């Protein structure tokens, strides 16, 4: 029966941490420090050198302009679109944004989320009566 310590000795020999002709005892192997991956990576640095810090990914808060992370151009709601939204909410109810979007004429890039946000702003500013057709 091969002991656990002998098994570890063979593994350490195969990995190159100890020499096969080493005369060290199994007790020395148990107390032997095996460097971890991070320790091996910085062995070549002297104590005076700074340890390199990981770099962050692309910046999320870039100034507006010609960059790859700029959002789509905002298209303000026209008066007619706001009237259509208020009329659609009266017909179909709050929350049926996709149905309202299909039933009325809106800008081609509008989504249900745009309608929801516009409705929130109209109600917050108490403008429902202003956009109601008479």
């Amino acid at each position: 029966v091969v002991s656990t310590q002998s098994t570890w000795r063979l593994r350490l020999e195969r990995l190159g941490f100890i020499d096969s002709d080493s005369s060290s005892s199994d007790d020395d192997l148990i107390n032997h420090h095996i460097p971890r991956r991070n320790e091996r990576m910085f062995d070549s640095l002297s104590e005076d050198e700074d340890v390199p810090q990981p770099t962050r990914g692309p910046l999320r808060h870039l100034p507006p302009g010609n960059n790859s992370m700029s959002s789509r151009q905002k298209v303000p709601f026209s008066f007619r679109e706001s009237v259509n939204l208020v009329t659609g909410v009266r017909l179909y109810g709050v929350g049926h944004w996709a149905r309202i979007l299909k039933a009325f004429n809106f800008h081609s890039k509008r989504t249900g989320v745009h309608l929801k946000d516009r409705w929130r702003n109209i109600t917050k500013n108490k403008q429902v009566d202003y956009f109601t057709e008479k």
Side-chain angles (χ1 to χ4, degrees), residues 77 85 94-95 97 111-123:
F77 270 77
L85 177 59
V94 175
W97 309 120
T111 65
V113 175
H114 292 125
L115 299 184
K116 173 190 64 84
D117 291 341
R118 179 64 178 151
W119 179 252
R120 186 188 64 225
N121 289 327
I122 287 173
T123 56

Side-chain angles (χ1 to χ4, degrees), residues 17 33-47 49 51-52:
F17 289 113
H33 174 70
I34 299 172
R36 301 204 187 285
R37 187 178 339 157
N38 294 343
E39 293 171 330
R40 283 190 227 139
M41 185 175 11
F42 299 115
D43 281 348
S44 62
L45 295 176
S46 68
E47 291 181 15
E49 293 181 69
V51 176

Side-chain angles (χ1 to χ4, degrees), residues 11-91:
R11 288 181 184 172
L12 290 172
E13 286 174 5
R14 280 191 214 134
L15 293 171
F17 289 113
I18 60 169
D19 296 328
S20 58
D21 59 344
S22 173
S23 62
S24 59
S25 69
D26 287 340
D27 291 332
D28 292 341
L29 291 177
I30 292 170
N31 297 326
H32 179 71
H33 174 70
I34 299 172
R36 301 204 187 285
R37 187 178 339 157
N38 294 343
E39 293 171 330
R40 283 190 227 139
M41 185 175 11
F42 299 115
D43 281 348
S44 62
L45 295 176
S46 68
E47 291 181 15
D48 297 337
E49 293 181 69
D50 289 334
V51 176
Q53 297 298 318
T55 58
R56 295 182 184 247
L59 296 175
R60 299 285 170 143
H61 305 288
L62 295 174
N66 297 334
N67 59 52
S68 61
M69 295 190 63
S70 64
S71 61
R72 287 187 272 177
Q73 184 70 31
K74 292 182 181 179
V75 178
F77 270 77
S78 67
F79 182 81
R80 175 47 58 206
E81 285 180 310
S82 297
V83 169
N84 289 344
L85 177 59
V86 171
T87 306
V89 169
R90 289 188 190 277
L91 287 176

Side-chain angles (χ1 to χ4, degrees), residues 11 102 132:
R11 288 181 184 172
K102 289 178 184 175
T132 304

